[in-house]
Amino acid sequence: HTFTAPVTGKYQLNVNLRVDNLSVTGAWNRVELVTSNNTYSIGMHDSAKAFNESPGEWFFAGSVTADMDSNDTAFLRWSQSGGGSTADIEQGSIFSGFLAC
């Protein structure tokens, strides 16, 4: 999903993702919040060092204050290095925001 800013201002954008079945055969998993003006790292997980087996669930969470002009957009981008494509974004995950000023 993509958020489009209705007016120019500073927006607080919030991310809380529950991800199930991360692949342990990959090197890393990353979540980024991408706006028209900037890319923010929400979290990166080093799967190769952390797990002996796929975890049941993992969380990526963060907030940013982003300068956005009217009609600028924001969306989340998932990426991983290697491994199986088994990760699932689960119900209860949140991407929200509001005009802060």
Side-chain angles (χ1 to χ4, degrees), residues 11-92:
Y11 288 81
Q12 180 174 320
L13 302 171
N14 310 295
V15 178
N16 189 357
L17 296 180
R18 176 185 163 183
V19 182
D20 285 359
N21 303 313
L22 287 177
S23 173
V24 295
T25 59
W28 51 259
N29 299 283
R30 177 175 52 215
V31 175
E32 295 174 314
L33 191 146
V34 180
T35 70
S36 298
N37 300 320
N38 207 344
T39 299
Y40 305 90
S41 179
I42 296 300
M44 185 166 178
H45 179 261
D46 188 344
S47 300
K49 293 181 181 177
F51 300 131
N52 292 326
E53 60 185 50
S54 292
E57 58 190 42
W58 194 257
F59 292 88
F60 293 90
S63 296
V64 301
T65 303
D67 285 318
M68 298 181 78
D69 297 321
S70 178
N71 294 317
D72 278 356
T73 59
F75 64 91
L76 297 176
R77 178 169 50 206
W78 169 271
S79 57
Q80 71 180 50
S81 174
S85 57
T86 59
D88 298 308
I89 306 294
E90 292 298 318
Q91 264 188 313

